[in-house]
Amino acid sequence: MTMATKTNVPLLDLKAQYATIREEIEPAIHDVLESQIFIGGPKVGELECRCAGYVNTTYSVGNSSGSDAIILALDALGIGPGDEVILPTYTFFSTAGSVSRVGATPILADIDPATYQVDPTSIRRVLESRPAGKVKALMPVHLFGQAVDLDAIMDIAGEHDLRVIEDAAQAIGTEDIHGRRVGSVGDIGTYSFFPSKNLGGFGDGGLCATNDQGLYEAMMRFRNHGMKPKYFHHDIGLNARLDALQAAVLLVKIEHLDAWTAKRQANAQYYDQVFADAGASNSSVSLDEGGLPLRTPQPAPQGARHIYNQYVIRVPGEHREMIRGRLKEANIGNEIYYPRCLHQQDCYRDLGYAEGDFPHSERASRETLAIPIYPELSEGQKQYVVDTVLAAVRSI
């Protein structure tokens, strides 16, 4: 392979994306400015209909962020003080932080080391250790754009009479092995429109999706101070409404989402192939087994759809900072998702977990590294990323 010319490759290039849709975005924003309807209104309603169709649910509720989406879901399900919710320790903070915000307690589980998704076997072990009736819900996270084993999750929930909130913040459009869109299988699915997401707004935003009319109506109230009609409050809700400007932007972007996903998948396929040709295995093979010290994401199983919100490689933990340094020198963006598990965070020390309680999650936090995967990557940029990663890994 010919070495690529040195260039700049950010982890995500939103300017490149905006350049392709500017002529659609600016009139959409102008329409909102002319209407002077900035909170709620027809744009939000239109987006909710479009998103419900996209994720294959009957209802959706636009709201202010992916974190608030989880809070609205918990409130609608009546989960609060004294209740417990099982979720992975290897995830973004808001998965657990939202549980704590409603007064409930996050109870942590380990992940599958190959997929990084919460391990149903670990969930079962956790349930065996908890007092009867304390755990009220499971919150699987569809991490990096992959699908959790929803069959196993729903089986556990049925056996223990638990509610299921699917945290699909990174996974709008992801499908499981049966072709089901994630977020449509449990009681409620939650999504984020943070700008870095595959479907990202021009600021914060989120969505809840459900097939249950009662939960839908509850979340519609809770996002607006528990109010219906105006000034009549049935619940103690919060201000978690979605701005019309964000809805207008997202209505434009959602029409491009499948094309962007296809480009991400093509970029992932390129990385998979070139790294494999260089001797890398995928993450189903531990780094302990030798060979080139580089692991690529395990491919999605037959029938499933991976949307690659991130493309996460795995390298030896003791060399990760060196590899990051090489990437930085080469002007290649990269990020660690996530350098600390939830049980290692200072604010959750009181949960009583110890180092070593979640070995697969802890090891992932030491070894994983995300590299650029965004749709607008050029062939030269992709080759430059590959060349730089391989040069760093081969120097170990």
Side-chain angles (χ1 to χ4, degrees):
M1 178 185 291
T2 303
M3 285 290 291
T5 304
K6 185 171 182 177
T7 185
N8 177 58
V9 191
L11 183 64
L12 176 65
D13 192 348
L14 290 176
K15 290 183 178 179
Q17 182 191 83
Y18 180 57
T20 68
I21 57 174
R22 180 185 288 109
E23 292 182 0
E24 299 172 74
I25 289 284
E26 291 179 357
I29 292 174
H30 184 262
D31 287 347
V32 176
L33 298 180
E34 287 296 311
S35 75
Q36 290 293 292
I37 300 172
F38 297 114
I39 305 294
K43 290 292 186 184
V44 172
E46 185 181 348
L47 178 69
E48 289 170 337
C49 289
R50 183 70 179 86
C51 285
Y54 189 81
V55 303
N56 199 26
T57 59
T58 309
Y59 309 100
S60 79
V61 179
N63 51 66
S64 50
S65 71
S67 302
D68 284 342
I70 297 174
I71 291 175
L72 292 174
L74 292 163
D75 282 343
L77 291 170
I79 294 171
D83 297 332
E84 296 179 345
V85 179
I86 297 177
L87 52 96
T89 188
Y90 185 68
T91 182
F92 181 61
F93 181 78
S94 68
T95 309
S98 300
V99 172
S100 298
R101 277 291 166 190
V102 302
T105 302
I107 303 298
L108 306 179
D110 209 351
I111 59 168
D112 179 288
T115 67
Y116 310 111
Q117 310 302 302
V118 67
D119 183 358
T121 302
S122 180
I123 291 175
R124 289 187 180 279
R125 287 197 296 267
V126 171
L127 280 166
E128 291 170 1
S129 71
R130 305 311 302 166
K134 291 284 285 183
V135 175
K136 296 298 175 62
L138 306 179
M139 196 184 302
V141 179
H142 302 287
L143 201 65
F144 304 150
Q146 305 169 88
V148 168
D149 182 349
L150 283 167
D151 287 340
I153 295 295
M154 298 310 292
D155 284 347
I156 294 170
E159 292 165 15
H160 296 270
D161 192 26
L162 303 175
R163 310 307 291 266
V164 176
I165 300 170
E166 297 179 60
D167 182 343
Q170 300 178 359
I172 189 165
T174 296
E175 297 174 0
D176 75 351
I177 58 172
H178 306 294
R180 298 176 295 188
R181 291 277 164 107
V182 301
S184 69
V185 180
D187 294 283
I188 300 172
T190 65
Y191 306 84
S192 170
F193 297 136
F194 188 77
S196 65
K197 299 296 189 290
N198 288 22
L199 180 60
F202 284 4
D204 277 315
L207 187 87
C208 297
T210 187
N211 292 305
D212 186 298
Q213 184 177 357
L215 293 176
Y216 163 71
E217 291 174 351
M219 289 187 291
M220 289 288 281
R221 290 195 312 274
F222 275 112
R223 77 170 178 184
N224 193 25
H225 301 290
M227 181 169 60
K228 186 180 180 182
K230 192 173 183 180
Y231 302 133
F232 288 79
H233 300 265
H234 305 273
D235 312 285
I236 300 175
L238 63 159
N239 177 3
R241 300 175 298 237
L242 181 66
D243 293 344
L245 281 167
Q246 297 300 336
V249 168
L250 292 163
L251 279 166
V252 171
K253 285 192 166 191
I254 197 170
E255 299 307 317
H256 297 270
L257 183 55
D258 285 338
W260 290 338
T261 293
K263 290 179 181 178
R264 285 175 176 267
Q265 291 168 332
N267 291 342
Q269 187 175 25
Y270 173 88
Y271 283 151
D272 288 348
Q273 186 61 58
V274 177
F275 285 137
D277 290 345
S281 302
N282 68 54
S283 56
S284 65
V285 180
S286 170
L287 285 164
D288 295 338
E289 296 187 36
L292 186 73
L294 173 67
R295 299 295 182 262
T296 57
Q298 185 182 45
Q302 184 68 34
R305 185 187 195 221
H306 191 333
I307 67 164
Y308 291 97
N309 192 85
Q310 287 94 6
Y311 186 92
V312 175
I313 61 174
R314 201 160 186 153
V315 296
E318 64 271 27
H319 299 291
R320 184 173 65 182
E321 285 308 307
M322 178 275 291
I323 293 169
R324 293 197 76 195
R326 296 282 187 89
L327 291 172
K328 183 178 179 181
E329 289 171 6
N331 295 321
I332 295 173
N334 61 90
E335 187 58 88
I336 299 171
Y337 298 96
Y338 297 95
R340 279 190 177 184
C341 301
L342 293 175
H343 70 282
Q344 297 170 316
Q345 300 292 344
D346 291 343
C347 62
Y348 279 132
R349 297 294 184 190
D350 61 349
L351 291 179
Y353 297 109
E355 204 75 19
D357 284 349
F358 305 99
H360 296 311
S361 297
E362 291 169 18
R363 184 163 183 179
S365 73
R366 295 191 299 268
E367 296 179 347
T368 51
L369 182 64
I371 59 176
I373 190 68
Y374 59 90
E376 297 79 16
L377 281 170
S378 70
E379 294 302 311
Q381 285 176 315
K382 287 186 291 186
Q383 184 174 338
Y384 182 56
V385 171
V386 166
D387 290 344
T388 306
V389 169
L390 288 176
V393 168
R394 286 168 174 160
S395 72
I396 294 175

